[in-house]
Amino acid sequence: MELRSVEELMDLLYACREAAGPGGGPAADAHGHALRTAALLRRGRPADKELQIAGLVLAVGGLLWPGDPAGRAGRTADAVRGLLGDRVARLVAGRLRPDAVADDDLRRLREAEEEGRTAVFDAGVLEDWRTVLELVAARNSRLGAGG
């Protein structure tokens, strides 16, 4: 699967929240966790939109490939690469791979993801991220067209 538009990605991110149903559950936790991870990355690196988005899109893997935790990160990376670019895909793919070179960006993503599991704060709503997703997708589209 390859995501072709921000609207498709937003639909998936909303579906992560709705998959839990009225009683909450793991999908609701994944949705909130993604928002907290992205918000933590925004606080730590406000200018790094790609890093923030990498934290946000982690949630879609659990929805798309619920029975494949081992292959989820790579598949999620493949799904977002065309839309959000190689850097976002590399970060998403590398977050669960112990052999991935833990550069500063990957280290920050892993730390924010871990902190996002237990942090309690208002991380905003998904719609707050639409413009950031559109900016990253537009930038990736321009880079891909010229290369």
Side-chain angles (χ1 to χ4, degrees):
M1 165 178 212
E2 180 180 338
L3 295 170
R4 299 188 184 274
S5 70
V6 169
E7 197 58 41
E8 283 182 8
L9 179 55
M10 288 294 291
D11 287 347
L12 275 175
L13 290 165
Y14 275 115
C16 289
R17 180 188 66 199
E18 294 163 2
D29 293 339
H31 176 79
H33 179 240
L35 287 173
R36 288 187 303 274
T37 300
L40 288 164
L41 291 164
R42 178 182 274 173
R43 288 178 183 175
R45 301 265 297 270
D48 195 341
K49 305 303 182 205
E50 291 176 334
L51 180 62
Q52 297 163 24
I53 292 303
L56 182 68
V57 301
L58 298 176
V60 301
L63 180 67
L64 294 173
W65 301 283
D68 184 19
R72 186 179 301 158
R75 287 181 172 180
T76 305
D78 290 342
V80 301
R81 179 176 281 109
L83 180 64
L84 302 175
D86 288 334
R87 181 169 178 242
V88 173
R90 179 185 60 79
L91 290 165
V92 169
R95 95 177 211 284
L96 291 179
R97 287 185 31 222
D99 63 328
V101 176
D103 62 8
D104 187 53
D105 295 337
L106 189 53
R107 183 185 54 76
R108 284 179 184 256
L109 177 60
R110 289 173 177 168
E111 288 172 356
E113 184 182 20
E114 185 62 34
E115 185 179 349
R117 292 185 200 289
T118 57
V120 179
F121 65 94
D122 182 0
V125 296
L126 182 57
E127 199 60 37
D128 295 341
W129 291 95
R130 182 182 296 273
T131 302
V132 179
L133 286 165
E134 289 170 347
L135 290 169
V136 171
R139 180 171 173 242
N140 182 60
S141 172
R142 285 192 303 273
L143 291 175

